Amino acid sequence: MTIESLPGSSGYLDLFPERRMSYFSNTYVLGLTVIAGIGGLLFGYDTGVISGALLYIKDEFEVVNQSSFLQETIVSMALVGAIIGAASGGWINDAYGRKKATLIADVVFAVGSAVMAAAPDPYVLILGRLLVGLGVGIASVTAPVYIAEASPSEVRGALVGTNVLMITGGQFLSYLVNLAFTQVPGTWRWMLGVAGVPAVVQFCLMLCMPESPRWLFMKNDKDKAIMVLAKIYDLARLEDEIDQLSASSVEDRQKQNNSRYLDVFKSKEIRLAFLAGAGLQAFQQFTGINTVMYYSPTIVQMAGFSSNQLALLLSLIVAAMNAAGSILGIYLIDHFGRRKLALSSLTGVIVSLVILAVAFFGKSTGSSNALYGWLAVLGLALYIAFFSPGMGPVPWTVNSEVYPEAYRGICGGMSATVNWVSNLIVAQTFLSLANAVGTGATFLILAGVAVAAIVFVLLFVPETKGLTFVEVEQIWKERAWGSSYNTESLLEQGSETS
């Protein structure tokens, strides 16, 4: 099939002579990636900002200061919203498209930020956290899928990794904002209210962005899809992409019209893909990343640094390392591969968690030696250095590419929901668990989970580096039905055409 043979597509060769250039010679894909990635910035900012704001919320509301449960609820209510947002976000993406889903997320997030900034008591603050979480949940599903569907396969990992960089950049920005507002009246209100600014910026920019070309193709809007694809690929590659989309679009439309959440578990190959994707999301959280990000100022204080400002400054350094590691991950994920990157990352995470455990075991003996406090900070920094290039981007990248088009929204939403549920469990239990068994023992438990994660990756996660969506689908079909599946399919196609 050629471009001219598609309905309504005659003249595309004349319309886009500049497509003979490499896709990377223009800034279109990068611009689209950055604008979509502002959703990741919202995600990261909200994750990071509450850790510093909580220190000052406790100062203003005595009831919060006296209740660990209320502190955990303020942190985790955003996660409850994110679970709801992610669970519904898959359906919103498939029904209304990636662009409209992003716009909806921006509106909800901005409203939630305003509610938090104006909250007269902790309970209105909790409502604002719920609204912000809804927006973050939808964005967490939408941004990686939107970026992946507009990315050439050979750089898809790096571009989706840019969304993870925006997440870690948002966390770093949140610590800068926290530090900037420490001496300003209404400290925590400014910290939380500023979160609405990126949402408004993304809303305005997204109005100028196109819909995902793959979603348009699945909705049989081929003309608009080709117009978008022509801005991404050179001429020869454009024809290949259209051929692949045309071959799969009819089947995808039929599947999407009939697909339901339970269908994910009825199809063996989809079930295997979801196991890999959701498992990575769960292990990303249960190895402790948001324990570090949510409670890093508190952990620093537990390590012996009592000043709020010093705790925020040290946490800012941790957040900077997180962002720097994400930049490294953008390079490594398409060169080193998803699977190897995850395994090496988890190995370093185990070492880091053991160092943290040793530091807090030493501190629990009553020693006044400042070495243990600095050892805890070193453990946090090493944890981020190992986690951020690997287990930071890999789960989101894998989940953006392992599902067929007809199930990408549903499975992406379900998998993101697993991430947020796991996140909620960690956020709601970390302080209580640390109080019950000790912080050192808690970090040893997380290290044990990281060991289990290595086993999981070895058994269930295939390498998808550089593969097209069609090739990734073939991996799951072969894993589900055996290596003879492809041969049998080709024989069936041959008999149909003969």
Side-chain angles (χ1 to χ4, degrees), residues 135-477:
V136 168
I138 297 171
S140 70
V141 177
T142 308
V145 170
Y146 182 55
I147 293 170
E149 290 184 342
S151 302
S153 58
E154 60 269 28
V155 292
R156 187 174 60 235
L159 293 178
V160 175
T162 301
N163 182 61
V164 179
L165 173 61
M166 295 293 277
I167 294 173
T168 57
Q171 291 169 336
F172 178 70
L173 177 64
S174 73
Y175 284 110
L176 280 178
V177 170
N178 283 350
L179 200 58
F181 285 117
T182 55
Q183 301 298 325
V184 177
T187 304
W188 63 268
R189 297 181 187 277
W190 285 102
M191 293 174 179
L192 299 179
V194 166
V197 175
V200 173
V201 171
Q202 185 182 42
F203 182 90
C204 295
L205 293 175
M206 279 300 297
L207 292 174
C208 304
M209 288 293 100
E211 183 53 79
S212 161
R214 293 180 180 275
W215 186 85
L216 290 170
F217 232 100
M218 190 168 60
K219 294 298 182 180
N220 206 28
D221 198 345
K222 294 182 179 179
D223 286 353
K224 288 184 179 178
I226 294 172
M227 291 289 287
V228 178
L229 289 169
K231 296 178 181 180
I232 299 172
Y233 298 104
D234 60 25
L235 188 59
R237 182 70 177 275
L238 177 60
E239 292 191 5
D240 291 340
E241 290 293 321
I242 292 172
D243 284 344
Q244 290 184 16
L245 286 171
S246 299
S248 61
S249 60
V250 175
E251 181 183 0
D252 284 336
R253 283 197 299 274
Q254 291 173 344
K255 287 181 178 178
Q256 192 191 44
N257 290 336
N258 299 317
S259 62
R260 294 177 176 85
Y261 286 95
L262 290 178
D263 293 339
V264 172
F265 303 100
K266 293 178 181 178
S267 169
K268 189 174 182 180
E269 59 263 36
I270 304 300
R271 192 164 64 242
L272 289 172
F274 180 70
L275 173 64
L280 280 173
Q281 294 283 36
F283 279 118
Q284 183 190 66
Q285 295 304 319
F286 285 124
T287 50
I289 178 57
N290 280 315
T291 295
V292 173
M293 298 314 299
Y294 286 136
Y295 295 113
S296 56
T298 305
I299 290 171
V300 169
Q301 288 185 331
M302 291 166 68
F305 301 95
S306 57
S307 165
N308 281 359
Q309 285 183 284
L310 179 58
L312 287 177
L313 181 60
L314 291 173
S315 298
L316 177 64
I317 296 171
V318 172
M321 291 190 65
N322 197 16
S326 298
I327 296 173
L328 179 61
I330 289 174
Y331 172 80
L332 292 176
I333 199 162
D334 281 322
H335 291 80
F336 203 46
R338 286 74 159 138
R339 182 180 160 97
K340 290 180 181 178
L341 191 56
L343 291 171
S344 58
S345 175
L346 286 166
T347 301
V349 162
I350 293 169
V351 173
S352 305
L353 288 169
V354 170
I355 291 174
L356 279 166
V358 169
F360 279 94
F361 276 130
K363 196 69 179 177
S364 67
T365 62
S367 172
S368 59
N369 192 337
L371 177 63
Y372 289 120
W374 286 106
L375 189 61
V377 174
L378 175 64
L380 286 177
L382 287 176
Y383 178 95
I384 291 297
F386 283 113
F387 185 97
S388 57
M391 283 301 288
V394 168
W396 295 106
T397 300
V398 169
N399 274 277
S400 72
E401 62 191 6
V402 294
Y403 308 120
E405 182 70 35
Y407 290 92
R408 195 165 295 138
I410 289 178
C411 288
M414 291 171 64
S415 183
T417 302
V418 170
N419 184 291
W420 288 112
V421 169
S422 304
N423 195 332
L424 174 63
I425 292 171
V426 172
Q428 193 69 20
T429 60
F430 173 74
L431 288 180
S432 300
L433 184 61
N435 289 333
V437 302
T439 309
T442 301
F443 282 121
L444 280 184
I445 292 170
L446 295 177
V449 173
V451 172
I454 287 179
V455 176
F456 176 85
V457 172
L458 289 171
L459 293 178
F460 298 109
V461 180
E463 182 54 69
T464 55
K465 179 185 74 172
L467 300 181
T468 65
F469 287 117
V470 173
E471 291 168 336
V472 173
E473 283 188 52
Q474 189 61 37
I475 289 177
W476 300 118
K477 289 175 180 177

